[in-house]
Amino acid sequence: MSTAESLSKSDQKRLQILDAGRELFMSQGYADTSMDQVTAKSGVSKATVYNHFPSKELLFEEAVRTRSEEGFAALPQLDVEHTDPEEMLTHYFHALLGILFSEDGACMCFLLMSEGRRFPDNARLVYESGFGRGLEEMCEYLSRANRTEKIKVTDPEWAARRLLAVVMPPLPMMCAGFEPLQPPEIPEVRRAVQFFLRGIADDLKLDVWLLGYM
């Protein structure tokens, strides 16, 4: 039995509304999307739409949250017990960048930039569901890796931000059409991870060297 067949009629209609809302939000933004448009696109009655989602704000929140959950569920686990951090991080970020550079991922980035000034709460939700959550998970991984001495890092939060900055191509430039919207290949991701790991090692060597003169 398929997932759709196993859902109740109410759940199926909720999913239809969510899919319609997500597609409209992604394609035309929050402000230009109306609940009437969602109703027409979902194929269910307006009463049913409002029964599941009493406001556009709630529909937007659920659309962003569920899309984020789907994306993170598809990623490899950041396993601190993995014997090779370089290999694990390379494949993790290759999968993550594949999601970010998908059509939905690019639209999420567009929403983050376009909604920021007019709808800061919406922009914060998009950020915390995507980039913010990714930073938290990476920070936690680096903290565990440091405790088990897989990767020596003195400031996991700082290191997590630097790692994402090193691995991440210029997505805003790509969304704006100035560069091709395509994820990097494995060798390029590996090179970025290696650059980060070497930098962390050199940073620790510098700290040790400076301590010798204090």
Side-chain angles (χ1 to χ4, degrees), residues 4-212:
E5 291 173 338
S6 65
L7 295 175
S8 67
K9 287 186 177 180
S10 177
D11 288 339
Q12 288 181 35
K13 289 182 178 181
R14 179 183 177 84
L15 187 58
Q16 287 175 234
I17 298 165
L18 262 179
D19 287 344
R22 181 187 296 145
E23 185 174 336
L24 289 167
F25 290 134
M26 294 291 189
S27 62
Q28 58 191 36
Y30 178 82
D32 293 332
T33 296
S34 70
M35 293 297 269
D36 284 342
Q37 290 175 321
V38 173
T39 298
K41 191 170 187 63
S42 65
V44 303
S45 69
K46 181 180 288 190
T48 301
V49 170
Y50 279 97
N51 182 54
H52 285 283
F53 300 100
S55 69
K56 186 169 73 169
E57 291 83 0
L58 290 174
L59 176 58
F60 183 83
E61 290 175 11
E62 186 68 5
V64 170
R65 186 189 65 78
T66 54
R67 183 65 187 90
S68 173
E69 290 297 331
E70 291 168 4
F72 278 95
L75 292 176
Q77 292 297 306
L78 285 168
D79 182 8
V80 76
E81 300 301 325
H82 196 286
T83 56
D84 187 348
E86 178 188 314
E87 191 72 15
M88 190 205 64
L89 287 171
T90 296
H91 287 282
Y92 174 86
F93 279 110
H94 185 251
L96 174 62
L97 292 172
I99 293 172
L100 289 176
F101 282 80
S102 66
E103 185 175 349
D104 273 4
C107 287
M108 288 285 276
C109 182
F110 171 77
L111 280 175
L112 184 59
M113 293 185 292
S114 65
E115 303 293 294
R117 290 185 180 277
R118 294 184 298 172
F119 306 102
D121 289 342
N122 288 350
R124 187 176 300 109
L125 172 67
V126 174
Y127 172 80
E128 291 177 351
S129 299
F131 290 103
R133 176 174 171 178
L135 275 171
E136 288 181 5
E137 292 193 359
M138 185 55 59
C139 180
E140 176 59 26
Y141 164 75
L142 291 174
S143 297
R144 296 196 311 269
N146 182 62
R147 290 195 296 270
T148 59
E149 300 188 347
K150 286 282 187 180
I151 304 174
K152 295 299 294 180
V153 52
T154 55
D155 188 340
E157 182 176 354
W158 179 90
R161 292 181 179 276
R162 299 293 79 75
L163 176 52
L164 285 176
V166 168
V167 174
M168 185 72 65
L171 189 55
M173 297 291 287
M174 294 175 174
C175 289
F178 293 110
E179 295 187 21
L181 184 62
Q182 57 187 31
E185 300 293 335
I186 280 279
E188 188 175 347
V189 178
R190 187 183 302 280
R191 185 179 180 185
V193 170
Q194 290 172 341
F195 179 81
F196 167 78
L197 293 175
R198 283 198 302 268
I200 288 293
D202 290 343
D203 186 52
L204 287 168
K205 289 176 185 177
L206 178 60
D207 286 346
V208 171
W209 183 81
L210 288 172
L211 282 172

